Amino acid sequence: MKYIILLGDGMADYPLGELGGRTPLEAAKKPNIDSLARNGVGGFLQTIPSGMGAGSDVANLSILGYDPKSYYTGRGPLEAASMGVKLEKDEMAFRCNFITEKDGRIEDYSAGHITSEETKGLIDALNENFDLGRFYRGVRYRNLFVIKSLQEVETTPPHDVLGGRISEHLVKPSKSKDVTRLNEMILGSKSVLENHPINRKRVKEGRNPANMIWLWGQGVAPSIEPFSKSHGLKGAVISAVDLIKGIGIYAGLDLIEVPNATGLIDTNWEGKADSAIEALERVDMVYLHVEAIDEASHAGDAELKIRAIEEFDKRLVGRLLKNIDFNCRIAVLPDHYTPISLKTHSSDPVPYIISTLDGEGDGLRSYSEKEVQERGSLGIREGHKFMEYFLTDSVG
Ligand SMILES: [Zn+2]
């Protein structure tokens, strides 16, 4: 038996007035996913444990079978893994954003979505001027800072306090000596960065400069038991997103790079389907993550979200189903809700279906929040218990 998990990031939603009271999943034409539902069973997963943030990192960790309460240490170490930066036992990694500071406030959490080409010189300048730790270049404004582990540090994501005063949202507790040095570096980054030729050029062109760094999402390397050891099966992950790749690396999954996988609606849908089929010749389980649906949700664009679900269905799921010629169990689910009305994630339990291509099911007519609620037989379970259940032969 082979196993495929089709993960539509942020796919679940609330009923929308503009869709006549339907959710995007209900409004989208998705014959392939619906055919899986008709042969499937359904239920709900609490992928975000109570008290934890509704992040994709926490949710995907859950679905891959790891209880985030025990295994989640922060976003930084997951991104470090996807960048090929290995953390020593006594080190921690922070996400290091380039931001735009203006009049003592956080003007832009992404420094005008500065390019990776431009950040090269800026990262070099930071490493030349500060020796508290080491800066690593990531993708665009999303970089990394690694330092000897500190105790009890509290940080704030810059996109959560946009327009907020820098002085109020620096690293805490401010009384700690280590934290003071960290905050001195953050504030000191301004004088290193603002007169850098790259920033002078950006300002001249009317673009936001990367004139300060912002550290958050810190953590030590998680110790995660490899998927192969927990389940006795080989797995692979396909995703355009660093965090998901990072989780895959820690879980010992094969990382499959698909050319032109962008994380947006212009992604290489067919390439992702073909890579999954190819991978399943070597591995038992493929975790196929699609980001575009979440991006549309954050933009609050219901029409784009529906279109992303339809592309997912037609170009990825449809192509996959057409080319599967082996015994296979397939799950379809989101990691978390990203309701259009909220433009951000929520912690509601997510609807999932599990199908075998010729299985007897719950009598689901389609895949949607309401249909799984009304006809699914599996009830609600904790997110991290999903994988074991999915891989058990009794389903379907
Ligand atoms: Zn997500």
Side-chain angles (χ1 to χ4, degrees):
M1 177 72 85
K2 300 281 183 176
Y3 304 89
I4 304 175
I5 295 172
L6 299 169
L7 198 297
D9 202 300
M11 189 158 59
D13 210 314
Y14 304 149
L16 282 167
E18 63 184 291
L19 300 177
R22 293 172 303 168
T23 66
L25 270 177
E26 288 173 320
K29 285 189 192 68
K30 46 177 181 39
N32 296 298
I33 293 173
D34 289 342
S35 79
L36 289 171
R38 280 194 294 278
N39 294 319
V41 289
F44 284 84
L45 293 179
Q46 186 66 57
T47 55
I48 311 288
S50 71
M52 295 192 81
S56 292
D57 39 12
V58 169
N60 283 277
L61 205 52
S62 282
I63 297 166
L64 274 162
Y66 303 98
D67 184 353
K69 291 199 294 287
S70 313
Y71 293 99
Y72 182 69
T73 60
R75 161 189 292 256
L78 299 175
E79 292 187 336
S82 81
M83 290 164 62
V85 174
K86 195 179 174 310
L87 297 179
E88 300 299 332
K89 275 209 168 63
D90 62 345
E91 287 180 331
M92 75 194 309
F94 288 78
R95 156 65 83 79
C96 173
N97 277 42
F98 279 118
I99 66 163
T100 305
E101 180 271 358
K102 198 179 170 200
D103 304 330
R105 293 177 186 272
I106 301 174
E107 171 86 359
D108 180 348
Y109 69 87
S110 74
H113 288 273
I114 188 163
T115 65
S116 306
E117 192 52 46
E118 290 172 295
T119 58
K120 189 172 181 312
L122 301 179
I123 290 286
D124 289 347
L126 290 168
N127 278 323
E128 280 159 25
N129 282 277
F130 299 105
D131 57 5
L132 207 53
R134 182 131 197 99
F135 293 90
Y136 294 89
R137 189 164 67 114
V139 180
R140 306 186 79 107
Y141 65 89
R142 303 185 292 267
N143 300 282
L144 195 75
F145 179 65
V146 176
I147 187 172
K148 289 268 178 264
S149 287
L150 307 174
Q151 298 282 318
E152 294 176 39
V153 194
E154 277 175 50
T155 56
T156 309
H159 49 266
D160 283 357
V161 290
L162 211 53
R165 288 203 162 281
I166 303 267
S167 57
E168 284 168 23
H169 300 293
L170 286 167
V171 185
K172 294 185 175 70
S174 51
K175 279 183 196 144
S176 143
K177 252 189 209 154
D178 290 332
V179 170
T180 302
R181 285 162 63 204
L182 215 52
N183 284 330
E184 282 169 3
M185 181 181 78
I186 292 171
L187 294 170
S189 69
K190 193 172 174 207
S191 60
V192 172
L193 296 171
E194 72 179 343
N195 289 316
H196 194 284
I198 286 162
N199 276 326
R200 278 205 228 128
K201 184 160 177 278
R202 286 184 69 82
V203 171
K204 220 168 149 187
E205 292 166 356
R207 293 183 295 156
N208 281 346
N211 60 5
M212 195 177 268
I213 57 166
W214 196 261
L215 303 182
W216 61 286
Q218 72 284 353
V220 298
S223 62
I224 286 178
E225 187 176 65
F227 181 87
S228 58
K229 203 168 161 213
S230 319
H231 303 290
L233 296 171
K234 277 195 272 182
V237 65
I238 298 174
S239 174
V241 173
D242 284 353
L243 276 182
I244 313 296
K245 292 182 190 175
I247 295 171
I249 290 168
Y250 278 114
L253 304 177
D254 281 3
L255 205 60
I256 298 171
E257 298 287 353
V258 178
N260 302 318
T262 58
L264 298 171
I265 196 156
D266 67 355
T267 196
N268 183 0
W269 300 98
E270 290 83 5
K272 283 189 143 178
D274 296 349
S275 297
I277 297 277
E278 248 173 67
L280 285 164
E281 289 171 17
R282 293 176 286 113
V283 304
D284 307 292
M285 187 281 295
V286 165
Y287 194 82
L288 204 169
H289 170 266
V290 166
E291 174 70 3
I293 302 165
D294 190 57
E295 293 292 331
S297 313
H298 283 289
D301 188 335
E303 191 263 332
L304 184 64
K305 183 165 187 174
I306 291 169
R307 206 144 52 82
I309 293 169
E310 291 180 345
E311 296 277 270
F312 176 41
D313 182 82
K314 187 173 160 195
R315 296 172 61 187
L316 196 159
V317 184
R319 189 173 174 106
L320 200 64
L321 295 183
K322 214 171 88 191
N323 291 311
I324 287 175
D325 56 3
F326 41 81
N327 206 0
C328 186
R329 181 174 300 152
I330 301 174
V332 180
L333 76 168
D335 47 353
H336 48 72
Y337 274 65
T338 310
I340 291 280
S341 56
L342 303 179
K343 294 192 195 176
T344 188
H345 306 169
S346 79
S347 304
D348 306 87
V350 299
Y352 70 100
I353 50 167
I354 297 177
S355 174
T356 52
L357 291 179
D358 53 0
E360 288 241 339
D362 284 342
L364 297 162
R365 295 164 301 186
S366 64
Y367 171 59
S368 74
E369 301 82 354
K370 198 162 121 200
E371 192 68 12
V372 173
Q373 173 75 46
E374 287 177 358
R375 293 171 190 259
S377 63
L378 300 178
I380 301 183
R381 67 184 71 218
E382 289 176 274
H384 69 273
K385 295 189 173 154
F386 162 79
M387 186 59 84
E388 178 105 49
Y389 180 75
F390 177 58
L391 301 174
T392 307
D393 280 333
S394 60
V395 184

